[in-house]
Amino acid sequence: MLNPVVERITQALEERSKQRRDAYLSTLMQAAEQGRNTAHGCSNLAHVMAAQSDEQRLIMRQGGAAHIAIISSYNDMLSAHAPLKDYPDQLKAALYRYGASAQFASGVPAMCDGVTQGTAGMQLSLFSRDLIAQATAVGLSHAVFDGALYLGVCDKIVPGLLIGALHFGHLPAVFVPAGPMRSGLSNPEKAAVRERYAAGNATRDELLEAELAAYHEPGTCTFYGTANTNQLLMEALGLHVPGSAFVSPGSKLRHALTDEAARLLIENTTQGGHYLPLGEQINAKALINGAVAILSSGGSTNHTLHLPAIARAAGYELLWEDLAALSKVVPLLAHVYPSGVADVNQFHAAGGVGWLFAQLLDAGLMHSDVYTIAGRGLDRYTREPYLQTGRLCWRNIAISPLEKDILRPVIAPFATHSGLHMVTGNLGRAVIKTSAVQERYWSIKAPARVFDCEADALEAYDKGRLNGDLIMVVRFQGPAANGMPELHKLMPILANLQAKGQKVALVTDGRLSGASGKVLAAIHLTPEAAKGGPLSRVQDGDILEIDAKHDCLQLHLAEQEFAQRPTVQAPRNATAGYGLQLFAAQRRSVGPADQGASFLIED
Ligand SMILES: O=C(O)[C@H](O)[C@@H](O)[C@H](O)[C@H](O)COP(=O)(O)O
């Protein structure tokens, strides 16, 4: 039986979004009826076919076969995307075997947050999600396709591809992952070396050695950050070949799963006989399944931005309140770094996605009656793929998790609350994830130390100026100020202060990495300081209080006195150089964090 809160939130989502969703579906229907662009004349078609092989031209000229778009975010800057290099050729070969034709419709940009962390480039990170959505739309705008394969893994890329794809929601879609790199130096060991380096107790050589041992080959980073949360989300939305999220790149199984992605897509086209338009697949139940999967696994806080933005692209208005309400009934069932010490390879080996979904479905926390690319019913995603004499098969996963420190059943979870909190008070509202924070640190009342950028906070630490209990405020980091960068570089220094016995926390209108944890952090604060939010009136020494258990974020100051304080303006020249000026229009038009921090303004 479905959990009543899950049922209520799903219904509320449907009701609140009815008008928008109906309009979305009617646009989708029109596009579906039209199919490929019927206005295409011979010259248009000749342009489509000019670069194709004779065999492919023949298939297209004869008509009747599906024509598939491949959209890829491949580059070899991202270790997670490097394995995608040969996928288009493999997928095309598989599609041809099934009688379809295919074209590499577009590449989309993809940046690595690990490379840009703590640098100006990070200011483009969240904006790149919407840019990827636009690039996806450009790729599909030729309107000659019957379905599309989307290749991407990392933080902004998968949400961006999905948002773009949903604007072509009449096309069936399959997302094709590449899988995580093998485990190297463990994530906690890597973090420990960083903390020692920040404290001056490790050399730069030691630090680099540790980083290289952690990030050591192609594949997704092994912690459960935003990229791997994306992969879990794609399984929960039924957009992957079941169980394909965390299979290593380069393995025979991965190869077979990639071929299977092509086969399933063909099946879901009109030509394949089981037409499944993406826009119908991603309905309220699917979105709630995505949210529940992320919450129960301690997924990335970035998805409090991405999920509302994805939902909006499908005609839904998903609220932070929905996530907060679900969080209270969805137990934390996985402990993967930063919430635990295990990495995603160990999570996968312990039972992984399939085991987790089986638990959630059994407890009525996920909707089973959803459309997936593999057929109706999410139960298909509770099994794991394997090869039997070269043939791709699926099998049930053991009922008990193989490792109770990594996965736990609904009846004995790590915590009954998933750990995502929405805190509110006179500064606005913000998001806190407690699954990686020890419970004794969940509340704090301390003086504010206010910084207008991450670099100033790091400098204060280096100069030994962060003494005593403190709540670090780093403001002018919201979407309109500078694109809402991740401030992950603050974590080692705050962790060090905490380890020394100081009570510390962070309040910011910026973001943290999915890999951040340990220290209590109220992030995505809305309204942001650059828009005149109350955060712009906070001063050094103000007493702030954060209480995750009671969903509270408060500045203790008489209301009138606080209201009369002058509003500090955003620092000038923070957005110059490194291409940042090119995004001035986006900073002007971007929406607030609780609506996904998106600059995609729809009519
Ligand atoms: O949200 C995320 O998951 C991050 O953006 C992640 O993709 C990024 O690469 C981190 O900076 C790496 O974390 P570490 O620096 O801790 O390895």
Side-chain angles (χ1 to χ4, degrees):
M1 206 182 72
L2 198 62
N3 177 289
V5 175
V6 173
E7 191 168 18
R8 178 169 61 75
I9 299 296
T10 311
Q11 264 172 20
L13 176 61
E14 256 161 13
E15 280 158 25
R16 170 189 324 130
S17 315
K18 189 167 181 339
Q19 215 179 341
R20 189 187 289 271
R21 175 69 176 168
D22 285 351
Y24 173 80
L25 288 177
S26 115
T27 310
L28 182 153
M29 234 84 90
Q30 280 168 22
E33 268 160 36
Q34 193 185 12
R36 293 191 210 166
N37 192 342
T38 46
H40 275 147
C42 294
S43 167
N44 303 101
L45 288 175
H47 277 79
V48 175
M49 291 190 259
Q52 284 190 311
S53 66
D54 290 346
E55 196 189 356
Q56 287 290 297
R57 282 185 190 201
L58 193 64
I59 297 175
M60 279 205 87
R61 287 190 72 167
Q62 282 169 343
H67 188 53
I68 301 302
I70 298 173
I71 308 263
S72 174
S73 52
Y74 163 75
N75 66 41
D76 60 12
M77 286 298 300
L78 280 76
S79 63
H81 290 206
L84 296 173
K85 183 177 183 193
D86 301 325
Y87 276 37
D89 286 344
Q90 187 194 336
L91 287 164
K92 277 186 186 174
L95 290 163
Y96 298 166
R97 282 201 296 280
Y98 298 115
S101 52
Q103 282 179 306
F104 186 89
S106 183
V108 300
M111 61 180 282
C112 176
D113 288 356
V115 174
T116 55
Q117 206 66 249
T119 73
M122 173 48 82
Q123 295 186 26
L124 298 189
S125 163
L126 186 55
F127 284 154
S128 76
R129 179 195 67 197
D130 293 357
L131 182 64
I132 290 161
Q134 291 176 321
T136 302
V138 172
L140 294 174
S141 66
H142 298 109
V144 292
F145 303 110
D146 302 296
L149 292 162
Y150 299 93
L151 280 49
V153 178
C154 284
D155 301 16
K156 269 37 89 186
I157 296 98
V158 169
L161 287 170
L162 183 51
I163 290 168
L166 281 163
H167 283 267
F168 288 76
H170 63 292
L171 297 178
V174 173
F175 278 67
V176 191
M181 68 178 73
R182 288 169 302 169
S183 305
L185 182 75
S186 78
N187 291 294
E189 284 173 296
K190 174 192 72 186
V193 178
R194 280 182 195 175
E195 282 158 27
R196 285 203 289 117
Y197 180 75
N201 298 328
T203 64
R204 197 174 163 84
D205 271 353
E206 284 174 74
L207 179 66
L208 185 57
E209 209 52 53
E211 299 287 353
L212 289 171
Y215 300 104
H216 61 104
E217 64 179 13
T220 318
C221 306
T222 60
F223 51 84
Y224 191 48
T226 310
N228 287 318
T229 306
N230 280 336
Q231 299 311 296
L232 186 91
L233 175 64
M234 291 303 105
E235 298 269 330
L237 296 179
L239 283 169
H240 269 175
V241 173
S244 57
F246 300 125
V247 174
S248 319
S251 60
K252 284 192 176 137
L253 180 56
R254 170 57 69 202
H255 193 88
L257 289 164
T258 304
D259 276 358
E260 179 69 359
R263 191 188 72 78
L264 285 176
L265 180 66
I266 299 288
E267 261 193 13
N268 292 330
T269 59
T270 38
Q271 292 84 350
H274 298 98
Y275 179 52
L276 178 63
L278 171 70
E280 280 184 21
Q281 180 179 346
I282 306 304
N283 58 18
K285 287 181 181 175
L287 289 167
I288 296 300
N289 279 349
V292 169
I294 291 169
L295 293 170
S296 67
S297 57
S300 169
T301 46
N302 276 316
H303 284 81
T304 63
L305 306 170
H306 299 327
L307 268 183
I310 291 166
R312 198 177 172 86
Y316 288 102
E317 200 187 333
L318 184 74
L319 308 175
W320 277 2
E321 285 82 351
D322 297 333
L323 301 179
L326 288 171
S327 207
K328 290 192 166 79
V329 295
V330 174
L332 184 68
L333 301 185
H335 253 190
V336 195
Y337 189 87
S339 300
V341 293
D343 66 18
V344 287
N345 292 315
Q346 291 161 324
F347 166 74
H348 183 65
V353 176
W355 193 88
L356 181 72
F357 287 8
Q359 282 291 312
L360 294 166
L361 282 167
D362 264 12
L365 290 162
M366 282 177 113
H367 296 275
S368 56
D369 55 334
V370 287
Y371 303 99
T372 80
I373 58 157
R376 190 95 198 253
L378 194 65
D379 55 333
R380 286 167 172 75
Y381 289 74
T382 62
R383 297 185 300 155
E384 64 177 0
Y386 70 104
L387 287 177
Q388 193 173 45
T389 51
R391 206 165 54 88
L392 185 59
C393 308
W394 278 263
R395 65 186 161 212
N396 292 333
I397 300 173
I399 291 179
S400 301
L402 293 175
E403 182 51 71
K404 285 212 163 52
D405 286 340
I406 304 175
L407 276 167
R408 291 207 187 150
V410 169
I411 47 162
F414 289 104
T416 51
H417 186 296
S418 82
L420 186 85
H421 305 259
M422 199 187 77
V423 290
T424 50
N426 57 359
L427 290 181
R429 56 195 201 137
V431 163
I432 291 184
K433 187 173 113 176
T434 52
S435 53
V437 182
Q438 285 183 37
E439 198 164 343
R440 61 194 165 118
Y441 299 129
W442 287 10
S443 65
I444 175 172
K445 192 170 177 182
R449 286 296 304 273
V450 183
F451 300 95
D452 291 347
C453 69
E454 187 184 27
D456 287 354
L458 292 168
E459 190 188 333
Y461 174 82
D462 283 342
K463 295 198 166 147
R465 292 188 188 138
L466 298 178
N467 302 307
D469 295 349
L470 60 98
I471 296 188
M472 179 184 280
V473 172
V474 185
R475 63 187 173 190
F476 301 114
Q477 306 302 312
N482 61 356
M484 210 179 179
E486 291 184 349
L487 308 171
H488 188 49
K489 282 254 152 94
L490 298 175
M491 273 301 118
I493 67 167
L494 287 168
N496 276 348
L497 299 178
Q498 186 165 273
K500 271 172 44 188
Q502 289 172 241
K503 285 191 111 192
V504 292
L506 174 69
V507 172
T508 181
D509 45 9
R511 296 185 290 137
L512 281 179
S513 155
S516 304
K518 246 186 193 176
V519 175
L520 193 71
I523 59 177
H524 307 178
L525 182 63
T526 313
E528 61 170 296
K531 290 265 185 183
L535 197 61
S536 62
R537 286 180 274 126
V538 176
Q539 296 176 354
D540 267 342
D542 282 347
I543 299 300
L544 297 181
E545 184 176 6
I546 310 173
D547 186 346
K549 273 192 184 155
H550 297 96
D551 299 337
C552 145
L553 169 64
Q554 193 71 20
L555 181 145
H556 290 280
L557 189 69
E559 202 179 319
Q560 208 182 354
E561 193 185 338
F562 189 41
Q564 281 168 357
R565 284 257 185 95
T567 299
V568 174
Q569 297 302 313
R572 290 170 70 83
N573 291 331
T575 49
Y578 295 96
L580 301 179
Q581 283 111 319
L582 291 173
F583 287 78
Q586 282 67 29
R587 285 189 292 274
R588 277 195 296 274
S589 61
V590 70
D594 54 358
Q595 289 171 31
S598 174
F599 66 70
L600 300 172
I601 319 273
E602 294 164 34
D603 294 333

